[in-house]
Every structure is written in structure tokens, then in C-alpha cells.
Amino acid sequence: MRKISQLLENILPFFIPLFILTLMSGCLNFVYREVRTFEVLYTTIATTFLSVFVIVILGELLPLKLKRIYRVFFYSLTIFLLIAEGFLVINYKITIIPEVINAVINTNKYEAMGVFHMYFSFALVLKIIGIISVLVLFIVLLTRALDKMKSLSATGKKTVCYIFIFFTCFGFYLMGYNIYNYIRYNNGNNFTFTNVYGRIANSCRVVIKSSREVVSYIKDNENVNGSTVYENPDSINVIILVGESFSKYHTNLYSYEKNTNPLLKERQENGEMVVFNDVVTFSDMTQKVFLDLFCFDGATSKRLLPKVFKDAGFKVYLYDNQYLSGQSENVDWYMTNSEMSSMLFDKRNDKLYETDKELIDKIVIEKEKRNLYIVHINGQHFPYDMRYPESYAKFKKEEYPSTYASDQSEILAEYDNATLYCDYIVDQIISKFVDSNSIVVYFSDHSEEVYDYRSYVGHCNANFSKPSLKYQIEVPFMIWMSDKFRDGHEDLYKRICDAKDLPFITNRLSHTMLDIVGINDTIFNPSKSIINEKYDSKSPRIVLKSLNYDEIRANGFK
């Protein structure tokens, strides 16, 4: 016990300031996120205690000169992570998670400029400098005060020892319990890593893992011959159009009172477009959506829809305003890996555009007989006021109820204007194919919460508040068919119309696309195609990896 007491006396001047700094991040989560239970509080304290204790003990093994550098490094790292997580929690209500690491590495200059434009200002920079200065002063003063403290009494030493032993053991127990929950549920609801060091370590692990998974994608998609059959002699254009952050609660295609989608509404009323009423996405993050969107059975098979279409004799073209081939190769996945790109696509754009209009102007109507176009636009991705020209600023903040604050009304108007402009963009894409035998399937990767039930705007935190599932996970989904397509596929048109009220989740898209086009492949499962008579409409829709959306909705999102 004496040796333990002496060790604790030596480490307290480092341990206490570092523990307080690290715990501040946990307090931010506790205050700003909608997860404020006693379980979260004591788990955060205990696991933070354990992590900091391990860091401090490892530092004690170093020589004196390296020990000082070691302490400065961890103080600096913890301050940086505290500020970074403070920014994430306040603006997105998330902490450092793998998606954040991926977003930072995979972001393009337009997205980075968008974030900077929306959140950063000279005043904010001054605040950050002030926070850093205060924290450094706090560390210096507290360390000096602890160094000057007299040795503890024998009773005091024993008390400190017992406290450290208790929290260390309790921390190990909770960390193990949380890791078990993560393995079983793989979902943020279980607060897998409740301190910043655990979160950053886990995030880096996931990013490294995802960079290796591309190897299995390549293996599953190459040398697959003889399983795909398509015998329809007609020429056809199939377009899969993926939008961004499009909320069904802000479009008159559903029940919104403002006319944000006049052009698509007209197509719906003319009978050329069918709008589906009960569709959810399986994630609230773009990259997670794309990881499973074109897969057929998630983790059990990584064969991808574009490759199946190519095997059926289609030419496949990608027009993407977020991901480029070879972009951020250090975080490889199938949308950016060069080898996968050449395997999946016959042609794709090689630059990103500031506006979606520039992207769609580059879409070329190919003369090939069978064509699949995959188009991924920025849509209503924040910042909303950068998604439309001034001529589309139809909605004004004065039009919104006085229950909203002035800045909230302004953001609502900007979002609705972005939706109005996106309506024009999608209509322009449709117009390119109106005179051909073509079908367009349009939906959003995820939705967007825009002050719908609380004072919050954004996405990617739906799993921490069940009402958020309604606004971040439910997505608009529609199918447009040209006159020529409808005339030549009357039975298919009827099946599509009959399916519009059935429950659907977007990770079943690939099976539905094969059914629509008539491609026969051993990977096709009719129970997952919404237009098939064998469709299993009672199959649970699992979102965010472990949440049964239908059960949560049946319980009123409580």
C-alpha cells in the first residue's frame, strides 16, 4: 500500500488536470445530447478515470525529459479533442465517431468550404483562442498547486488508494460491458466508448478496417460469369438518382403546405411519376448508405449492383458530385478506389462541381442499347443557401410562424429554397430522357431534420432520439417512367403503382432494380423487391444496424 501511495502522490499533479480536461468532453455530451441518464454519467466518469489512469501510469515509465514531452503532448491532444468534440456536439450533437474521421479524410474542397462558411467566423476563432488560453492557464495553476501540496496523512493516502482501486476496477468492468454491447448491437445507443480516447481509438480502428474491406469487394465482383441473364431486345435507359438530405416533411409531394416541388408534383399528377409513401433509409450518414445501397445482402455478399448490370450487358455511367475515383485512397472504399471504379463503371466524371446544374449539364445521353446511369447530387446538403441561385430565393423568413426564432425562420426558408431548386435539377435530369424508353428511380440517401419537433437542424444523430428517426430516416422515394416505357411495360407500371403504399427500406433497392429491368441473376431475392408478388412487406426494417423502425413507429417514436 505504501508503494501505491507514493506512486499516486507522484502522478496526481498530472492525473487530476488531465482527468478534468477529459471529463469536460463527457460533460459536453451529457449536457447537449439527449442522453442524460445516471448510467451514462457514471459510465463516463469511470471509463474516463480508467483511460486517464492508464495514460498517466505509462508516462511514469519514461525518463524525466521524455516524461515532460509526454505530458505536454497529452495536454495538447486533450485540449484539441475537447474543442473538436465541443464543435461536433454543439453543431451536430455527435462526438468523434468513425464517420467523422471518414468525413474529414473523404471531404472535398467544396464541402470543406461549406462547413467553414456555415460555422466559422472571426469571432469563433477568437473564442477558440480564448478557450485554449484559459485551459492552459488552468493546467499550469492546478499543477503548481498540486506540486506544492503537503504530503497526505496516512488516512488520506489510504483513502486515495481505495478511490483509485475502486474506480479502476469499476472502469474495467464498464469498459468490458460496453465493448460487449458494441459487439452485440453495434449501435451508438449503447455508448460503446464513453470517453474521448476510447472514441478516437475506435474510430481509427474502423477507418483502417474499412480501407481493407475494399479487397473483399474486388474479390466478390471479379470473375463472376454465367450467373446473369438479360434477354430483353429493347433499348433502355435506367437512371438511379440519389439526392442528399431531402426531407419528405418539406415537400408538397407528401403533405408539406409550401409548394417546394412544383415540377415533380406536376409529373406525379400527370401519372408519369409514382411517389412511394412509406420508405426509410437504413442510415443517417451518406457513406454508410452507399456501403450497403448497391449490395444485395449486406455483409453476406459484396457483389454490387453496377457490376451485375455490366454482366447483363449494360454500360454503366456514374455522375457523382461528392466522390471521385482515387479520392482519399488512404480510406479506401468502393466509391473511391480506382480498381473498383474501373470494374464497376464504364465512365464517370473526373471533377466535382460547385453546383448540381454543372454536373447534370455533363450528362451525355449515350447511344448504347442498354445504359445504367447512377447520379449522385448534392441536393439539399448544408449549407442550404449555397445550394441554389438567388433567382430561386422564393421563400422568405417572414413567411414562417412566429414560434420560430428569426435565425431559424431564415434557415427554414433557405432549406425550402434549396428543395425548390433541387426540384428543377431533378426535372432537368428527367427531361433528358423524356423521349426515350427510360425509367428514373429517385430518392434521398437520408433525410434532414429542420426544426421539425425541436430546436435542431441537421442529421447523423438519429439513434440518440427516437423522434429523430421519423425526420432523419424517412425519405422521399419516387419512380418516373417515360411515355414509351409505360406503354411498353403496362404490367410493370401497374405493379409499381400498386406498391406505392408498401413499407420499404433502401437497402433492398438492388433486388428491386433487377426486378424492374428484368435481369435474371442467382443473387436476386424476390421477397426483397417491392414490386414483386412475393415481396415480404412484414419483414422488419432494421435501421442504424439494430433498431426496428416499425416497432419504434408503432410505439409512437417513444
Side-chain angles (χ1 to χ4, degrees), residues 466 469 538-543 546-558:
K466 288 180 180 176
L469 287 172
K538 298 188 185 214
S539 175
R541 292 182 288 179
I542 305 301
V543 302
S546 66
L547 302 179
N548 187 321
Y549 179 83
D550 298 294
E551 282 186 2
I552 293 172
R553 182 172 66 176
N555 291 326
F557 297 99
K558 295 178 182 177

Side-chain angles (χ1 to χ4, degrees), residues 71-103:
R71 291 186 176 186
V72 170
F73 170 77
F74 271 99
Y75 280 141
S76 302
L77 176 63
T78 307
I79 290 173
F80 170 78
L81 293 176
L82 173 61
I83 293 173
E85 288 212 308
F87 174 82
L88 291 171
V89 168
I90 292 170
N91 291 290
Y92 298 103
K93 297 198 174 180
I94 61 171
T95 53
I96 294 175
I97 54 176
E99 290 75 19
V100 171
I101 303 297
N102 270 336

Side-chain angles (χ1 to χ4, degrees), residues 27-135:
C27 291
L28 275 175
N29 299 333
F30 194 77
V31 171
Y32 282 94
R33 299 175 84 162
E34 295 190 356
V35 184
R36 301 172 188 171
T37 65
F38 180 67
E39 179 186 5
V40 173
L41 180 61
Y42 72 66
T43 301
T44 299
I45 293 173
T47 56
T48 300
F49 186 98
L50 175 63
S51 299
V52 174
F53 185 58
V54 170
I55 289 170
V56 171
I57 290 298
L58 291 176
E60 284 300 300
L61 303 176
L62 300 174
L64 182 60
K65 289 184 179 180
L66 289 179
K67 188 183 297 184
R68 290 172 179 170
I69 296 173
Y70 182 85
R71 291 186 176 186
V72 170
F73 170 77
F74 271 99
Y75 280 141
S76 302
L77 176 63
T78 307
I79 290 173
F80 170 78
L81 293 176
L82 173 61
I83 293 173
E85 288 212 308
F87 174 82
L88 291 171
V89 168
I90 292 170
N91 291 290
Y92 298 103
K93 297 198 174 180
I94 61 171
T95 53
I96 294 175
I97 54 176
E99 290 75 19
V100 171
I101 303 297
N102 270 336
V104 170
I105 298 175
N106 277 309
T107 194
N108 57 65
K109 64 179 181 180
Y110 299 118
E111 287 181 319
M113 289 171 60
V115 172
F116 188 85
H117 172 82
M118 187 168 189
Y119 292 110
F120 282 85
S121 63
F122 181 69
L124 178 60
V125 173
L126 289 179
K127 287 180 182 178
I128 292 174
I129 293 173
I131 291 171
I132 293 173
S133 301
V134 169
L135 292 175

Side-chain angles (χ1 to χ4, degrees), residues 148-374:
K148 291 179 180 179
M149 285 179 60
K150 294 180 179 179
S151 298
L152 294 171
S153 64
T155 303
K157 289 180 180 180
K158 282 186 178 181
T159 302
V160 170
C161 287
Y162 289 140
I163 290 173
F164 268 77
I165 291 171
F166 170 78
F167 274 104
T168 301
C169 293
F170 192 44
F172 272 117
Y173 163 74
L174 289 176
M175 190 69 77
Y177 174 74
N178 284 328
I179 291 173
Y180 163 76
N181 278 335
Y182 181 76
I183 293 171
R184 182 174 178 182
Y185 300 108
N186 202 15
N187 171 278
N189 277 332
N190 302 293
F191 256 75
T192 310
F193 297 99
T194 50
N195 66 83
V196 66
Y197 303 121
R199 288 191 291 273
I200 196 74
N202 176 62
S203 297
C204 292
R205 179 193 65 82
V206 172
V207 168
I208 293 170
K209 179 184 176 183
S210 67
S211 69
R212 294 172 178 171
E213 279 186 341
V214 74
V215 176
S216 62
Y217 278 105
I218 293 173
K219 182 179 178 181
D220 283 358
N221 284 276
E222 66 183 358
N223 302 322
V224 180
N225 297 312
S227 63
T228 307
V229 179
Y230 181 71
E231 297 177 344
N232 193 325
D234 296 337
S235 297
I236 185 173
N237 295 311
V238 180
I239 302 92
I240 299 175
L241 174 56
V242 185
E244 274 276 353
S245 305
F246 184 12
S247 169
K248 67 181 290 185
Y249 294 98
H250 285 264
T251 170
N252 59 314
L253 292 170
Y254 292 90
S255 58
Y256 195 47
E257 66 275 7
K258 296 189 182 298
N259 191 19
T260 54
N261 283 98
L263 300 175
L264 296 186
K265 185 66 176 179
E266 183 178 353
R267 293 190 183 276
Q268 179 190 20
E269 292 174 345
N270 290 341
E272 57 188 285
M273 188 173 74
V274 179
V275 176
F276 287 67
N277 294 314
D278 189 6
V279 179
V280 298
T281 182
F282 48 93
S283 178
D284 53 4
M285 297 285 287
T286 301
Q287 188 167 353
K288 276 189 175 182
V289 170
F290 272 92
L291 280 171
D292 277 358
L293 184 62
F294 296 132
C295 292
F296 288 86
D297 295 292
T300 61
S301 172
K302 290 185 172 64
R303 281 192 67 196
L304 299 171
L305 183 68
K307 183 61 166 62
V308 175
F309 266 76
K310 285 188 77 172
D311 291 342
F314 278 72
K315 295 293 184 179
V316 182
Y317 314 98
L318 175 65
Y319 291 89
D320 194 328
N321 216 12
Q322 286 200 28
Y323 302 113
L324 296 176
S325 176
Q327 180 189 45
S328 298
E329 293 271 350
N330 53 332
V331 183
D332 247 350
W333 66 304
Y334 75 81
M335 289 295 286
T336 61
N337 179 267
S338 299
E339 185 176 355
M340 282 298 300
S341 181
S342 61
M343 182 183 297
L344 298 176
F345 311 113
D346 292 286
K347 185 170 74 174
R348 66 183 294 175
N349 55 300
D350 57 4
K351 64 175 291 188
L352 301 175
Y353 300 93
E354 289 192 44
T355 68
D356 288 330
K357 181 65 166 62
E358 294 175 85
L359 175 73
I360 66 171
D361 284 344
K362 300 297 180 181
I363 296 177
V364 177
I365 308 302
E366 304 292 343
K367 296 180 181 179
E368 301 293 337
K369 194 169 185 179
R370 305 167 179 173
N371 302 299
L372 170 64
Y373 299 82
I374 297 173

